[in-house]
Amino acid sequence: MENKRKLMQFFFIRQEESSVHYHQDLEIIYVMKGKMEIKIDESVYQLQKGDFILINANKRHSCVGTQGILAARFFIDFHILAEHMGTLQLMFWCNTVVDRNDAYEEVRKLLDRILSCCSDQEEKGALYLNSLYYELLYHLVSYFMVKADQVWTNQEDSRNQIRVRQIQNYIQANYQTQISLNDLAQRLYLSNVYLSKYIKKHIGLTFLEYLNNVRLFHAVDELLYTNKSITRIAMDNGFPTSAAFIKSFRSIHREAPSQYRKRMQQNMPPVHQEYGLEEKSLDLVHEYLRNRQTGQQENGSRQQICTADASYYEIQNADWTRAVNVGEAYTLLQSEVQDQLIQIQQETGMRYARIWNLLSRKQCADEKGGMNFRKLDLVLDFIIDHRMKPYIELGGGTEVKEAEKDGTKRKETWDYELFCEMIRAFYLHLINRYGLEEIEGWCFEFGKASGLGMTAEDGAYYQAFEAICRIFKEIAPEIRVGGAGLLLGYENSFFRKIFRIWKKRKFRPDFLSFRSCQDMSIAEDELIYGRKSIDSSYMKNQMQLIRDTMEEEDFQIPEIHIVQWNFTDSNHNVFNDSSAQGAYIVKTCISMLGNADFMGYWQGLDIGSDYAATGAQGDTFPAGQESIQQGHSDITSVLNGDSGLITRDGIRKPSFYAFQFMNKLQSHVVCRNENSVVTANGRGRFTAVCHNYKSFSSKYAFCKEEEIQIDEMDQFVEDMEPLRLKICLKNVNNGTYQVKSHYVNHENGSVQNIWKMMGYEKVLAKDEIEYLKRRAIPSMEIRTVQATDGTLELEHVMQPQEIRLLDIWYRY
């Protein structure tokens, strides 16, 4: 028997199923009518019309549908996909029931197009179908694949990643021979005991378990697609005996290899019956697809026209995006940091400056061991004197740290009484110096301090948080205290547990705080696997997941704060300096309008990283900042991919102008769409901010950020097409309007492009720096437009990664 391999196959589900099964191939279940319950290991998911889920290889699962169910089952040949990807270690997280990602709709459209071919039996139809299969897999790999050799548990460093890859490559290359742990240990110059523990920790399996998994992968493939005997398959795949093969196989698949072969081959549909349906069921498929197409036509996949009634508007919260992370508090004692922060406040309207490590022992302790707040007063005075409010992160200085004594590392215990004493002294000092009315407008956040557990009900974090609330609110109940700086996308697996714990506590946060750097993770077999997300609406989608979880848990909090946000946590990524970063900021601010109560951009100043790198931060990094402060390279260069709005030499980046443009918006929101927001003052003036942001491609998702070169940036985005954007405002006064347009793109106002024309010289003379400052500004155009019949129409062609500010005045 020879069974022709196919990249993908699909057929339909028209009746209830209840059997528990597992197989090598990936499987997608897509529901078109009715409901279906999918159980994968111990997790249960309820799929409704339009939902789909991808089931990974060798996962025990069952499907139970309601009466009248209509669903499609797609099988993806794992062996062929593994050959394309160059690795056997593949995993996907693709589940519309519990996840949100803009890419789901693109996958759904592709599934629809594949299903529309179910009645096309011509050869050219088969060619088209295969092209759709490859396009579908491209989207799945780009947005939903997580390589199992990219284990992010404990933030593995590059040395561990290299060693894990060496182990995996050796086993993949030699699984057909009688290799042993000792062979591998000698090759890596390690002891057997150390290597055994290392493999268990970093791969999640013992050496023998991992070796047998690789052998079984190839053996299962031969069971299904060859006529080989069980003994021959065992010998060809490295098992010492057929008995050893059968034992390993039973441990995973719960049945003998011969039984598995017979059952799977019976269930594998013949090619000519792959997606056959009776005429009645086929009509239901076409009806579903017609309804889907109608909905897509009504909604539109990418709006380029913004039409609105100018007499109707909504009031926006003027402060929600106007916050910036400054860094370690005492860097504000440096004059150059002060000068640049003043620029940011004056030009972008930033209202809050987020700072941390205020209570570091190095800065606040006096000679007698008491508290001295003289330096802290200078920091807070500066912020207040320049019309900003402090957003204070209190986690720094509370962590459980390792100390070394007599050559032995040990953990210092966290002193609860000392912590309360320190917080009380700090709080009373603030009240007595600045007054209750002033500090009631500040925000106090207690972040996820290291060593203070959050997943246990009696975790020290909750004791510390409640101590802060008790001390602060005893005098001023209106003061806002929140936490805990959780990482969106990456730490989702225990949000629900934290919400349940907080529900039982006496004090709940006044606001929940989150950090966002477009990481995502999935928990699988007690390990956490992660990758960078290229979802262009990442924050919006992740925040919806948070709100859905809060609603399910009946956990209500007045405000949601994104205290740190950027597309990356790297301080050495060339996109940070580019026009693409300006477009990303504008897109994110527009999409998050109404989806968060507060947003603090990471970060304000490149120069702040210099102080962090040289140890100016005092005792500790703030909670969650360890990885963000690492990865520096050549800080003497004019541009080095740092995440600030202003360079170390005081040159404004496109990111600076993105916030400057957003600051010009009026208080009345007339309309917004994917690429623009239009506001008004109610007296004949309109202001619009637009962008043509280009999403990252799959190449970016699996690259090392610090290795991207400036001249290669276009290779890491989906396309570089211009956008024709039209704004149509109705119910306006007829007459003449002046339209003043400011814009930044790759060729206009981008310091990175101007630096390119200077040969990327790392160190520039003073006059050359001044030249960059003068050139790195937005371009401007002025024209007049006539409004007739109460309608004003504007049209612009925007270059890729362009941002544009339109200031529209009625001319009396």
Side-chain angles (χ1 to χ4, degrees):
M1 180 273 300
E2 285 295 334
N3 205 335
K4 184 179 179 181
R5 306 190 65 94
K6 300 184 69 174
L7 176 63
M8 284 186 65
Q9 299 182 75
F10 73 92
F11 59 96
F12 294 93
I13 303 172
R14 289 293 290 132
Q15 57 188 3
E16 298 180 35
E17 298 185 10
S18 58
S19 63
V20 177
H21 56 284
Y22 33 82
H23 40 74
Q24 192 81 31
D25 291 338
L26 301 171
E27 181 180 353
I28 298 174
I29 303 291
Y30 179 28
V31 176
M32 292 174 282
K33 182 182 179 184
K35 299 179 181 180
M36 177 169 282
E37 179 182 280
I38 307 290
K39 183 176 182 181
I40 306 174
D41 290 337
E42 301 305 316
S43 300
V44 179
Y45 306 102
Q46 305 291 338
L47 276 66
Q48 301 186 45
K49 180 180 177 180
D51 280 329
F52 59 89
I53 187 172
L54 189 152
I55 302 167
N56 284 300
N58 295 321
K59 302 298 292 184
R60 291 176 61 86
H61 61 280
S62 63
C63 310
V64 180
T66 58
Q67 188 173 7
I69 184 72
L70 174 61
R73 168 177 279 135
F74 300 81
F75 283 113
I76 302 169
D77 190 298
F78 198 110
H79 185 83
I80 296 178
L81 180 60
E83 287 180 350
H84 279 294
M85 299 307 302
T87 178
L88 302 177
Q89 306 301 312
L90 300 175
M91 183 179 297
F92 291 81
W93 176 242
C94 184
N95 185 340
T96 61
V97 178
V98 295
D99 188 28
R100 285 181 178 266
N101 189 319
D102 282 2
Y104 280 125
E105 183 57 26
E106 293 303 314
V107 172
R108 194 178 281 112
K109 290 177 184 177
L110 284 166
L111 294 175
D112 290 346
R113 288 163 64 189
I114 291 171
L115 292 174
S116 69
C117 298
C118 62
S119 57
D120 189 349
Q121 302 294 329
E122 297 180 7
E123 290 184 4
K124 64 179 182 180
L127 285 173
Y128 176 61
L129 191 58
N130 273 305
S131 72
L132 292 177
Y133 288 159
Y134 279 100
E135 189 174 356
L136 174 64
L137 287 177
Y138 172 77
H139 276 80
L140 292 174
V141 168
S142 297
Y143 291 93
F144 303 108
M145 188 185 82
V146 179
K147 287 188 177 180
D149 57 1
Q150 292 183 329
V151 181
W152 287 8
T153 303
N154 300 324
Q155 296 292 328
E156 299 291 355
D157 58 25
S158 59
R159 184 187 304 174
N160 281 334
Q161 292 178 3
I162 292 171
R163 177 167 288 172
V164 168
R165 194 170 294 115
Q166 288 174 332
I167 293 169
Q168 292 172 330
N169 289 343
Y170 178 78
I171 292 176
Q172 295 286 355
N174 297 280
Y175 74 92
Q176 293 173 300
T177 65
Q178 296 304 305
I179 57 175
S180 66
L181 178 67
N182 185 59
D183 297 332
L184 181 57
Q186 289 181 357
R187 193 176 186 87
L188 297 176
Y189 304 103
L190 300 171
S191 71
N192 286 15
V193 174
Y194 176 83
L195 181 58
S196 177
K197 293 180 179 178
Y198 186 93
I199 292 173
K200 179 65 176 178
K201 177 181 178 181
H202 294 280
I203 297 182
L205 303 169
T206 66
F207 170 80
L208 186 58
E209 287 171 340
Y210 183 70
L211 174 60
N212 282 341
N213 272 8
V214 173
R215 287 170 170 169
L216 283 172
F217 172 84
H218 294 279
V220 167
D221 198 61
E222 294 187 359
L223 271 175
L224 296 179
Y225 297 106
T226 73
N227 289 322
K228 288 182 180 181
S229 67
I230 301 300
T231 300
R232 174 72 182 278
I233 291 173
M235 297 298 106
D236 287 352
N237 288 284
F239 289 98
T241 64
S242 59
F245 169 49
I246 293 171
K247 181 179 179 181
S248 293
F249 194 93
R250 281 186 177 276
S251 68
I252 299 296
H253 296 284
R254 307 293 194 274
E255 61 184 331
S258 58
Q259 294 172 317
Y260 179 87
R261 170 184 266 179
K262 181 179 179 181
R263 181 174 58 81
M264 291 303 296
Q265 288 177 353
Q266 286 175 345
N267 291 335
M268 291 172 63
V271 175
H272 67 278
Q273 295 179 356
E274 181 181 339
Y275 41 78
L277 268 184
E278 70 275 12
E279 186 174 346
K280 183 178 179 181
S281 297
L282 199 58
D283 289 341
L284 291 175
V285 173
H286 290 314
E287 180 184 354
Y288 172 78
L289 296 177
R290 282 195 301 271
N291 291 336
R292 284 270 302 144
Q293 290 169 357
T294 300
Q296 291 165 18
Q297 291 168 1
E298 290 174 353
N299 296 328
S301 60
R302 179 176 171 81
Q303 293 186 24
Q304 297 178 331
I305 301 176
C306 187
T307 302
D309 183 343
S311 63
Y312 176 80
Y313 56 82
E314 298 176 359
I315 304 296
Q316 70 158 334
N317 174 8
D319 287 344
W320 72 286
T321 61
R322 299 181 185 180
V324 66
N325 283 271
V326 177
E328 196 276 333
Y330 299 99
T331 62
L332 274 170
L333 298 178
Q334 308 296 325
S335 60
E336 53 191 346
V337 175
Q338 293 181 356
D339 291 343
Q340 291 191 8
L341 185 60
I342 290 172
Q343 288 185 54
I344 289 176
Q345 192 281 325
Q346 291 178 344
E347 297 294 332
T348 70
M350 292 294 183
R351 307 283 179 87
Y352 286 88
R354 186 169 178 266
I355 53 177
W356 48 82
N357 278 358
L358 284 77
L359 302 178
S360 67
R361 290 185 290 272
K362 180 178 179 180
Q363 302 291 351
C364 290
D366 60 22
E367 295 178 355
K368 298 181 180 179
M371 302 295 289
N372 184 337
F373 298 114
R374 185 181 65 84
K375 290 183 179 179
L376 176 60
D377 292 341
L378 295 176
V379 170
L380 298 177
D381 287 351
F382 172 81
I383 293 174
I384 295 168
D385 290 345
H386 290 88
R387 296 179 296 175
M388 298 183 78
K389 293 182 181 295
Y391 193 115
I392 297 174
E393 203 285 310
L394 292 168
T398 65
E399 293 91 338
V400 177
K401 299 182 290 296
E402 284 189 343
E404 189 167 316
K405 184 177 182 180
D406 301 328
T408 303
K409 285 188 176 181
R410 60 179 178 81
K411 281 191 174 181
E412 294 181 347
T413 57
W414 178 63
D415 191 323
Y416 174 77
E417 297 299 329
L418 181 61
F419 173 79
C420 293
E421 182 181 335
M422 176 181 64
I423 290 295
R424 184 175 289 106
F426 166 70
Y427 179 57
L428 292 176
H429 176 79
L430 294 183
I431 292 176
N432 292 327
R433 181 176 176 84
Y434 299 103
L436 281 178
E437 185 176 356
E438 171 64 33
I439 65 173
E440 281 178 345
W442 302 2
C443 289
F444 297 88
E445 176 199 9
F446 186 59
K448 189 184 58 162
S450 62
L452 304 183
M454 288 197 68
T455 56
E457 292 197 11
D458 58 348
Y461 172 85
Y462 300 102
Q463 300 175 35
F465 179 82
E466 292 189 358
I468 295 171
C469 288
R470 185 175 61 254
I471 292 168
F472 278 40
K473 292 179 179 292
E474 184 177 19
I475 298 176
E478 300 303 315
I479 284 182
R480 291 181 292 172
V481 180
L486 302 168
L487 186 58
L488 283 181
Y490 194 77
E491 296 176 329
N492 289 13
S493 58
F494 56 82
F495 285 169
R496 193 179 298 273
K497 181 182 292 186
I498 290 173
F499 296 163
R500 289 175 180 175
I501 293 173
W502 239 325
K503 278 181 65 175
K504 300 177 182 178
R505 309 292 300 195
K506 181 178 180 180
F507 290 97
R508 294 186 187 181
D510 296 313
F511 58 86
L512 277 176
S513 62
F514 296 90
R515 297 174 290 124
S516 176
C517 55
Q518 298 217 181
D519 285 338
M520 60 169 285
S521 72
I522 62 169
E524 186 78 19
D525 299 327
E526 299 182 355
L527 290 176
I528 296 177
Y529 302 94
R531 59 165 279 179
K532 290 176 285 186
S533 172
I534 56 175
D535 179 11
S536 60
S537 298
Y538 173 85
M539 258 206 292
K540 178 182 176 181
N541 289 328
Q542 292 299 318
M543 283 311 307
Q544 188 58 52
L545 286 175
I546 295 296
R547 293 188 184 278
D548 289 346
T549 304
M550 292 173 64
E551 184 175 351
E552 291 167 8
E553 296 297 327
D554 191 25
F555 180 64
Q556 302 302 321
I557 296 297
E559 296 182 2
I560 299 276
H561 291 195
I562 311 292
V563 292
Q564 291 175 204
W565 65 275
N566 199 341
F567 75 97
T568 177
D569 62 357
S570 171
N571 279 349
H572 190 54
N573 185 319
V574 293
F575 279 96
N576 279 322
D577 299 324
S578 71
S579 57
Q581 182 70 345
Y584 163 77
I585 289 171
V586 171
K587 174 186 170 40
T588 301
C589 288
I590 292 175
S591 69
M592 289 298 290
L593 184 62
N595 290 307
D597 301 289
F598 176 96
M599 292 176 63
Y601 179 72
W602 177 264
Q603 64 179 337
L605 310 170
D606 283 2
I607 202 170
S609 298
D610 290 352
Y611 294 104
T614 56
Q617 72 275 11
D619 294 328
T620 60
F621 292 111
Q625 296 303 320
E626 296 86 349
S627 64
I628 293 178
Q629 295 288 4
Q630 296 170 1
H632 259 313
S633 174
D634 194 7
I635 61 175
T636 62
S637 179
V638 175
L639 296 175
N640 73 334
D642 211 338
S643 52
L645 303 176
I646 302 178
T647 73
R648 291 163 177 76
D649 297 304
I651 307 166
R652 298 173 177 183
K653 302 184 192 179
S655 54
F656 179 96
Y657 297 116
F659 282 109
Q660 185 185 65
F661 288 5
M662 294 299 295
N663 185 44
K664 301 294 185 181
L665 291 174
Q666 309 294 316
S667 59
H668 299 172
V669 177
V670 174
C671 67
R672 63 170 171 149
N673 63 6
E674 183 181 348
N675 292 93
S676 60
V677 58
V678 181
T679 61
N681 68 350
R683 305 182 66 181
R685 182 183 179 186
F686 302 94
T687 307
V689 177
C690 320
H691 72 87
N692 184 18
Y693 173 70
K694 297 299 182 180
S695 302
F696 287 115
S697 67
S698 59
K699 184 175 181 180
Y700 178 82
F702 296 107
C703 74
K704 292 185 177 179
E705 297 171 81
E706 66 275 8
E707 294 180 358
I708 301 175
Q709 302 300 312
I710 294 176
D711 291 334
E712 301 173 346
M713 292 169 63
D714 291 355
Q715 302 175 24
F716 293 88
V717 295
E718 283 291 349
D719 69 83
M720 292 299 288
E721 296 296 322
L723 171 70
R724 186 175 295 276
L725 184 65
K726 184 176 181 180
I727 296 174
C728 181
L729 300 178
K730 298 183 180 297
N731 288 327
V732 301
N733 293 329
N734 291 332
T736 302
Y737 288 80
Q738 182 192 73
V739 181
K740 187 182 296 185
S741 179
H742 305 264
Y743 57 95
V744 175
N745 53 36
H746 182 65
E747 297 176 353
N748 298 276
S750 172
V751 61
Q752 196 177 67
N753 189 55
I754 301 168
W755 187 42
K756 175 183 178 180
M757 294 187 289
M758 300 174 72
Y760 297 132
E761 284 291 333
K762 292 185 177 181
V763 181
L764 299 179
K766 183 177 180 181
D767 63 320
E768 295 164 341
I769 294 293
E770 291 302 317
Y771 172 79
L772 272 178
K773 288 182 181 179
R774 291 194 304 271
R775 287 290 310 278
I777 61 172
S779 294
M780 183 175 68
E781 299 172 351
I782 299 178
R783 62 191 178 101
T784 58
V785 178
Q786 295 295 318
T788 58
D789 297 327
T791 300
L792 176 66
E793 292 187 350
L794 305 172
E795 190 169 323
H796 292 87
V797 176
M798 300 185 66
Q799 296 304 310
Q801 313 293 24
E802 177 176 305
I803 57 174
R804 187 174 287 260
L805 169 68
L806 302 176
D807 202 2
I808 308 161
W809 293 76
Y810 181 74
R811 308 300 287 180
Y812 291 94

